[in-house]
């Protein structure tokens, strides 16, 4: 329910409430709307992150099923798509949605997953023999600029966890 100045003005004109009560009613509904917006931003962060994970994972599953029947040149193009699309999402968030923490965290997570996906696809296309520890360290170094640019907590946690796993 939204109460405006017009509604309270009508009540004031008919001497149903006084000026102080009208101001209290308006302030109450303004605070209530502010809390609703705060609640929505707190719930969108996890939803954006889960959505990003599901989208990237679904695309990978669809491609993995038909990977051997795809021509080699198309495999390279598909292999580069995750990093191109994730970079585009980071650019969009940086230019248009930089104030939204949920968008920043989701874009960083998409970038990290896209980078790993591209690295793995290119490795599988060209049958490169790269040590696991070296590849994880390389990916972590490549992800650092995005973490610092967006000040992402989740992406930095992912990088720290992968570095800990690769060194053990």
């Amino acid at each position: 329910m939204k109460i405006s100045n017009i509604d309270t003005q009508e009540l004031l004109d008919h001497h149903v409430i006084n000026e102080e009560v009208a101001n209290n009613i308006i302030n109450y509904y303004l605070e209530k709307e502010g809390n609703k917006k705060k609640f929505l931003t707190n719930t969108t962060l996890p939803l954006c992150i889960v959505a990003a994970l599901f989208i990237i994972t679904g695309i990978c599953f669809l491609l993995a099923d038909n990977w051997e029947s795809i021509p080699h040149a198309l495999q390279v193009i598909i292999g580069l798509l995750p990093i191109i699309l994730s970079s585009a999402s980071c650019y969009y968030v940086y230019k248009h949605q930089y104030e939204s923490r949920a968008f920043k965290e989701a874009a960083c997570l998409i970038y990290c997953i896209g980078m790993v996906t591209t690295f793995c696809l290119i490795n599988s296309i060209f049958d490169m023999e790269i040590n696991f520890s070296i590849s994880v360290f390389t990916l972590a170094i490549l992800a650092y600029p995005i973490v610092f640019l967006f000040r992402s907590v989740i992406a930095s946690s992912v990088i720290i966890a992968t570095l800990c796993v690769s060194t053990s």
Side-chain angles (χ1 to χ4, degrees), residues 32-46:
K32 189 175 178 182
E33 284 184 21
N35 289 339
K36 184 186 279 187
K37 289 179 183 176
K38 184 178 179 183
F39 173 74
L40 288 176
T41 57
N42 288 342
T43 57
T44 55
L45 175 65

Side-chain angles (χ1 to χ4, degrees), residues 1 3 5 17 21 42 48 50 52 55 64 67 77 81 97-98 100 118 125 136 138-139 144-145 151-152 159-160 162:
M1 180 176 183
I3 299 230
N5 286 335
I17 59 173
V21 173
N42 288 342
C48 286
V50 169
I55 289 170
W67 190 248
I77 292 170
L81 272 179
Q97 299 287 334
Y98 193 74
S100 173
T118 297
I125 291 169
V136 169
T138 304
L139 290 171
Y144 274 134
R151 294 185 177 106
S152 174
I159 290 171
I160 290 169
T162 55

